[in-house]
């Protein structure tokens, strides 16, 4: 067969203000160009130790079993569900966004029975509804999304919901894909048994090694399973031999991704996790102020605003694809369309990790304003920009 | 909790002559430090097209469904088994090495029934044994290891075995983890329905995005399944919406790993796949000649010698861990211990990708010789080095 003739890799420059990936800091990119050692090299064992210590810090946990899963965020998500769901287990999942549906699919594939707690897309779950579902179904697991990437909703009463689930004897699984490192989350203090995330959101690392933490209760359940986990690759009872004290071979770790994650987590530790949370809120506040200053709204109620993912309600008559294309072509900024029942109604504007910088928030507000103007929308772009600058204390 | 204080990433330099990862060329490392675009960016779609075209070339296939799985080699392996095994399917797997056992575990977790064709570790499978197993068990799948990383055995009659399996109506799955790009393998010509590999062996790319190719027959089986695939993350019927014509979101691809894989595959295309195969054989031939020149042997029969993984039989009284440690500390060379029934009897010396260079083969022979001398083994190191040099046409 013919030999392919493929040119040099020359992707365009982008500012990544979508739902992920976010921009990657130069130090992390440099870490990813480090020559490799083997995945069982004593030097790599040290790197593993570092990454685990750093992950415990960003998860705010003392859990021993805290490590990166060898895949992108959906791999750590499935690791949580496929290990913690035994055949015929009942698992409560949220019905208010795209990722609750994915949870249900993973639960079913693991042999479990999902029970959906409904709320409209764009609203958070209601504590009473969760309590009713727990009372009615006596679930083995309760899975909750802390930060819904599809709707921009922060489940801001997360600790209360976790307490309800634990009161009913369920293990609590937390999706913190779009919040870990960007919005306050406290695994141990909030009584969470399993939490998973991705590298490419608030941690600003390329995707490929994805944080997972498991409490002692969660590990007990996994190690006491009768039926084997339905995935060999994601079987925590085997993975723990590599990421636990033994450091025995299971599969080859994604060495370069672990290097990158280590550096990304180091940056969080250098800044301080509380400072990271505060920066995300401040910078995203400028996007929020800018959008509102133009005369537009964000989707959720302010009480549930998720700084890391802003669901901007589109002006009447404005086409989302046209806005996305304009921003990409004229400003080299990536934002994304709405998903599911919000498709066509909102734009998803992320503000995560190294993308959560004042200059990028301002550029995004300017770009959004111009994109709306280009479609003759009734927006006050100048007022939006001034509101964003004021939110950042940039105005004189 | 305390903020971790973790220092700069400073792994030592290594020459990777173990069973993988292999050394990564500077061009691939540089590709992995490229700033990211989004996984749905039009520019990334072009990168996906390139990677798929290049993968078809290294697999020697026209299969449309040829793409990298978002994980390390065991993820592409499990993708093959969990998609192609339906509950109560019968799957023939080889019993002559470590990776046949892993296949059996994956098949069982998918709900299938593995049937093992036995051969001693260090021997290839026998065609008559496979034919007998097919006749007795009427398997739905026959899985074969082309290059056994645990034993250094090349299943050199692979095409014949595949023909036997197909004659019995089975789909043929090929493990080419340690051969793709390093040893002749022809997916279409040899009648293979599914083949999977890893990035970090003969392709010299950091692990994290792992080649998989599926024939039309294999895709028909997957798309006609009654029971859903037991992994959401690895479900090809959903993955094909991203890697197929639609390019619709499934999960976030490991963008940086795909960048690296593209560059690594470009290097193979530039060299030419046949030239790559020839280089591996020539350079590994120097390791083989060096070891034999010292008075030692390789494990398998020469007819089944696998250039990419050389199972060096240890001299009497020599401790494998001491040799491994000496090579790492004195020569910065990584080699590995034997696995399973060969543990303690052999060293596994890889020769793959960018590690398959004459200077690295010579350094390995010198290092091995010194490590054996350090344990007072009865070896003729000078003769080994001269034999290795001669094999490379380096002697005057």
């Amino acid at each position: 067969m013919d030999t392919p003739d493929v040119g040099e890799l020359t992707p365009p420059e982008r500012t990544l203000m979508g739902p992920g990936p976010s921009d990657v800091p130069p130090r992390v990119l440099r870490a990813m160009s480090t020559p490799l050692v083997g995945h069982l090299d004593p030097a790599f064992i040290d790197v593993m130790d570092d990454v685990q210590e750093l992950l415990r810090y960003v998860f705010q946990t003392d859990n021993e079993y805290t490590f990166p899963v060898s895949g992108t965020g959906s791999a750590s998500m499935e690791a949580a569900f496929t290990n913690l769901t035994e055949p015929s287990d009942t698992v409560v999942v949220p019905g208010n966004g795209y990722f609750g549906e994915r949870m249900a699919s993973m639960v079913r594939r693991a042999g479990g029975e999902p029970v959906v707690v409904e709320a409209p897309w764009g609203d958070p779950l209601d504590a009473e509804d969760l309590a009713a579902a727990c009372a009615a179904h006596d679930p083995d697991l309760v899975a909750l999304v802390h930060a819904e990437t599809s709707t921009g909703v922060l489940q801001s009463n997360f600790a209360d919901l976790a307490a309800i689930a634990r009161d009913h004897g369920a293990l609590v699984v937390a999706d913190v894909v779009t919040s870990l490192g960007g919005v306050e989350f406290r695994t141990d203090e909030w009584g969470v048994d399993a939490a998973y995330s991705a590298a490419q959101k608030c941690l600003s690392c390329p995707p490929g090694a994805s944080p997972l933490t498991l409490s002692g209760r969660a590990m007990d359940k996994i190690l006491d399973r009768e039926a084997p986990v339905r995935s060999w690759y994601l079987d925590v009872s085997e993975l723990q031999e590599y990421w636990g004290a033994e450091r025995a071979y299971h599969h080859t770790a994604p060495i370069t991704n672990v290097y990158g994650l280590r550096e990304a987590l180091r940056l969080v530790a250098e800044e301080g996790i509380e400072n990271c949370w505060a920066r995300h809120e401040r910078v995203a506040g400028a996007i929020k102020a800018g959008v509102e200053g133009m005369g537009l709204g964000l989707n959720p109620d302010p009480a549930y605003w998720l700084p890391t993912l802003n669901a901007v309600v589109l002006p009447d008559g404005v086409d989302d694809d046209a806005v996305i294309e304009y921003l990409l072509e004229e400003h080299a900024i990536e934002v994304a369309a709405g998903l599911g029942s919000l498709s066509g109604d909102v734009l998803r504007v992320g503000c995560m990790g190294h993308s959560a910088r004042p200059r990028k928030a301002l550029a995004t507000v300017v770009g959004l304003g111009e994109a709306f103007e280009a479609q003759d929308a009734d927006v006050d772009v100048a007022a939006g920009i001034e509101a964003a600058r004021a939110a950042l204390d940039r105005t004189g």
Side-chain angles (χ1 to χ4, degrees), chain A:
Chain A
M1 59 193 295
D2 289 346
T3 307
D5 182 16
V6 170
E8 199 161 333
L9 180 69
T10 54
E13 277 189 292
R14 300 286 191 226
T15 299
L16 298 172
M17 305 300 289
S22 56
D23 286 345
V24 179
R27 267 175 54 183
V28 176
L29 292 174
R30 212 157 58 227
M32 296 195 70
S33 67
T34 306
L36 274 61
V37 300
H39 53 285
L40 297 169
D41 192 299
F44 193 69
I45 305 298
D46 293 341
V47 169
M48 293 166 71
D49 289 339
D50 293 342
V51 167
Q52 292 187 274
E53 184 187 355
L54 289 159
L55 280 177
R56 288 185 195 105
Y57 172 68
V58 299
F59 273 121
Q60 294 283 296
T61 186
D62 291 324
N63 288 338
E64 179 182 356
Y65 291 100
T66 304
F67 59 91
V69 173
S70 302
T72 67
S74 299
S76 61
M77 179 178 185
E78 186 149 52
F81 287 101
T82 199
N83 281 280
L84 289 170
T85 307
E86 288 193 86
S88 70
D89 272 2
T90 300
V91 183
V92 165
V93 301
N96 63 336
Y98 187 85
F99 291 93
E101 291 179 9
R102 184 172 297 185
M103 288 173 167
S105 178
M106 289 176 173
V107 166
R108 276 191 294 266
R109 289 162 191 263
E113 184 65 44
V115 171
V116 180
V117 179
E118 297 290 355
W121 278 45
D123 283 359
L125 286 199
D126 189 89
E128 286 180 23
D129 293 340
L130 178 64
C134 287
H137 298 284
D138 190 24
D140 301 281
L141 299 184
V142 169
L144 300 166
V145 177
H146 182 230
E148 233 310 339
T149 322
S150 64
T151 61
V153 167
L154 178 68
Q155 189 72 50
S156 42
N157 60 343
F158 195 95
D160 299 337
L161 298 190
I164 291 168
R166 286 181 77 108
D167 285 348
H168 282 87
L171 294 176
V172 178
V173 179
D175 181 317
V176 294
V177 168
T178 295
S179 55
L180 189 72
V183 179
E184 182 178 8
F185 180 78
R186 298 180 187 276
T187 302
D188 291 357
E189 196 177 317
W190 295 2
V192 172
D193 293 295
Y196 57 82
S197 191
Q200 78 276 7
K201 308 258 182 177
C202 304
L203 302 178
S204 292
C205 181
S210 301
L212 176 68
T213 188
L214 296 162
S215 72
R217 295 203 317 161
M219 281 304 290
D220 286 347
K221 168 154 187 169
I222 292 169
L223 297 175
D224 288 349
R225 283 179 64 108
E226 284 180 25
V229 173
R230 291 186 168 187
S231 166
W232 182 93
Y233 189 64
L234 300 175
D235 184 347
V236 167
S237 70
E238 304 212 17
L239 288 173
Q240 56 107 11
E241 293 179 13
Y242 182 57
W243 285 100
E246 269 184 81
R247 301 299 194 206
Y249 171 61
H250 175 254
H251 69 268
T252 302
I255 299 157
T256 295
N257 300 275
V258 174
Y259 283 176
L261 186 60
R262 181 183 182 283
E263 193 68 15
L265 293 167
R266 253 184 105 207
L267 287 166
V268 173
E270 287 176 15
E271 183 173 1
I273 186 91
E274 288 87 357
N275 295 332
C276 272
W277 298 336
R279 171 170 55 82
H280 281 81
E281 185 165 354
R282 172 172 167 262
V283 175
I287 294 175
K288 181 171 185 288
V291 167
E292 291 172 347
M294 278 181 222
L296 302 176
L298 292 186
N299 187 59
D301 185 281
Y304 310 113
W305 173 57
L306 173 60
T308 52
L309 198 289
N310 299 274
V312 176
V313 179
L314 286 163
D316 284 342
V318 166
D319 175 62
D320 55 352
D321 285 339
V323 173
I324 291 167
E325 195 179 319
Y326 184 97
L327 274 165
L328 205 60
E329 293 191 355
E330 299 297 325
H331 291 266
I333 291 174
E334 175 175 279
V335 300
L339 282 177
S341 72
L342 299 178
S343 175
D345 296 334
V346 300
L347 274 184
R348 291 184 301 147
V349 180
C351 183
M352 296 190 262
H354 191 50
S355 296
R357 303 288 176 203
R359 69 182 187 281
K360 297 179 187 180
L362 287 172
T364 302
V365 170
V366 172
L368 281 171
E370 289 192 0
F372 295 144
E373 279 180 337
Q375 287 195 59
D376 299 319
D378 180 23
V379 289
D380 186 341
V381 177
I385 294 170
E386 282 314 287
R389 280 166 25 87
L392 292 165
D393 290 326
R394 293 277 183 120
T395 51

